[in-house]
Amino acid sequence: APTPGARLRAAMIESLMCRFALDLRELAARHGASMTELLRLTQPLRLRFAGLIEADGEPGGETIRLAHSPRLVARLAARTLDAYS
């Protein structure tokens, strides 16, 4: 059975692939994750795709959107969240 962490990462990947965005508050509420954990999980994405994402809200951007060519970037961005890649 998938762990809570695996379910959270799967939900984040699904959100990026389908909506080209992550709503960290919504993910925190739905999966019982802390904003600290979500900010830690999204740090590699924020660094690697800094010029291709937009982050709104505080602290550290509670909504992350793929800003440029989202279909081209979605797969690579989602991969940074995949524990198995």
Side-chain angles (χ1 to χ4, degrees):
T3 66
R7 284 191 291 274
L8 172 61
R9 285 178 181 272
M12 294 171 77
I13 291 167
E14 179 181 357
S15 182
L16 272 179
M17 298 300 290
C18 296
R19 294 187 272 162
F20 307 116
L22 295 173
D23 181 333
L24 300 185
R25 286 223 181 265
E26 185 266 330
L27 286 162
R30 190 163 36 123
H31 293 276
S34 69
M35 286 301 290
T36 300
E37 179 183 8
L38 290 170
L39 292 171
R40 180 185 59 77
L41 287 173
T42 59
Q43 186 64 24
L45 183 150
R46 292 167 192 274
L47 293 174
R48 184 169 180 189
F49 298 97
L52 300 171
I53 63 170
E54 298 170 344
D56 300 326
E58 292 298 327
E62 293 173 2
T63 301
I64 300 169
R65 268 183 303 291
L66 302 179
H68 303 287
S69 305
R71 292 179 199 280
L72 298 174
V73 177
R75 192 168 194 50
L76 292 173
R79 191 170 180 189
T80 67
L81 299 170
D82 189 347
Y84 301 104
S85 64

